[in-house]
Amino acid sequence: MKRLFFLSALFAIALSAQAQPRQGHFSVIPRIGVNFANITNNEVVVDLSQQSNTLKSRVKPGLLAGVDVEYQATDLLFASLGLHYSMQGSRYPDFERKEDELMEGFSDWHTNLGYLNVPLLVGCRVTDGFSVKAGVQLGMLLNAKNYMSTTDIIPQEGGGREQGKAIEQTTDLYDSCKKVDISIPLAVSYEFENVILDARYNIGLSRIYDLDIVKNRNSVVQLTVGYRFQL
């Protein structure tokens, strides 16, 4: 009898852990994960004698951490409001730039953009545990800096070359950036026993910089894990 009671209790706990959020109730979901961020239309001219010779920026990983508050409106539909710290930006691979006979090496060139994002999403549970979501996100810029290391490359007789001393440069971009960023998040998530795996793509709508002729925007893929606390 005791064994039957114990097994029944375990079964009830398992069912409650896997149960869907209750209609008309709120949940708090802390989450942490990684960004794979880039900046659109972000190119640098590698050979100044050939303006068409350009190098595009690449994805830069960064941290994402925050919390969502979710409301279960019906058995299928829900809405969430979040507050996330998001490390975004872009990076370039190491390269050399040539102008006439002069060469300059560039390394560790990356742009760091820190945002406090507020995503508002509406979601639908397609199957048990699987959901799709979409909405709008407001981002507030916290910091913006550009880092790079440059080295002069001096040709030598006989075809060799000598590298000069590396010079590290840091530029604060905050005053030249827009302080508000608007994006469209599209997401899919899977939940099991209150653990939520979320994959999200944020499509940037706002330009990053104040200059209207510079049409760079944020493009961010986010992978996070969260845990649901039902209220």
Side-chain angles (χ1 to χ4, degrees):
M1 189 68 179
K2 290 182 178 180
R3 180 177 298 180
L4 179 61
F5 177 78
F6 178 73
L7 292 176
S8 300
L10 286 180
F11 183 70
I13 293 172
L15 286 179
S16 64
Q18 298 184 50
Q20 295 288 353
R22 292 172 294 174
Q23 180 178 341
H25 287 75
F26 287 90
S27 298
V28 176
I29 307 170
R31 64 177 68 247
I32 190 169
V34 61
N35 287 333
F36 297 95
N38 204 346
I39 296 174
T40 64
N41 305 310
N42 200 26
E43 300 178 345
V44 61
V45 178
V46 177
D47 191 339
L48 296 180
S49 64
Q50 302 179 24
Q51 294 295 321
S52 61
N53 190 354
T54 60
L55 181 67
K56 293 184 178 181
S57 64
R58 297 184 179 179
V59 167
K60 185 181 78 68
L63 174 71
L64 176 120
V67 63
D68 292 338
V69 175
E70 185 179 288
Y71 177 72
Q72 189 70 34
T74 70
D75 289 340
L76 298 179
L77 299 178
F78 60 92
S80 66
L81 182 66
L83 186 66
H84 303 162
Y85 173 68
S86 181
M87 296 173 61
Q88 301 173 195
S90 67
R91 66 177 181 87
Y92 289 102
D94 296 349
F95 67 94
E96 296 177 353
R97 172 183 283 174
K98 180 179 180 181
E99 183 178 11
D100 298 327
E101 298 301 321
L102 300 178
M103 294 283 292
E104 189 175 18
F106 291 79
S107 60
D108 195 28
W109 185 347
H110 59 281
T111 301
N112 288 349
L113 302 174
Y115 287 93
L116 187 63
N117 289 331
V118 182
L120 174 63
L121 288 87
V122 174
C124 176
R125 286 187 168 79
V126 181
T127 61
D128 188 23
F130 181 77
S131 303
V132 295
K133 298 174 282 187
V136 63
Q137 177 174 274
L138 172 69
M140 292 161 283
L141 183 67
L142 301 179
N143 54 74
K145 289 187 177 182
N146 188 73
Y147 302 88
M148 73 171 67
S149 179
T150 60
T151 306
D152 290 332
I153 301 174
I154 306 169
Q156 302 292 307
E157 293 184 2
R161 58 185 191 172
E162 179 183 347
Q163 290 190 352
K165 182 180 179 181
I167 301 175
E168 296 184 357
Q169 303 177 35
T170 302
T171 306
D172 194 327
L173 304 176
Y174 184 81
D175 290 338
S176 62
C177 292
K178 294 183 180 296
K179 306 307 181 287
V180 175
D181 181 73
I182 305 296
S183 61
I184 299 296
L186 305 174
V188 294
S189 65
Y190 180 75
E191 180 174 355
F192 178 74
E193 295 187 355
N194 291 349
V195 175
I196 303 174
L197 302 177
D198 187 281
R200 188 172 304 188
Y201 177 48
N202 292 333
I203 305 171
L205 301 182
S206 303
R207 296 178 181 180
I208 295 174
Y209 301 105
D210 284 327
L211 291 175
D212 290 336
I213 60 174
V214 182
K215 299 181 180 180
N216 305 120
R217 293 178 172 85
N218 286 300
S219 175
V220 186
V221 173
Q222 299 176 333
L223 302 177
T224 64
V225 58
Y227 189 85
R228 180 187 303 278
F229 295 92
Q230 296 197 53
L231 304 181

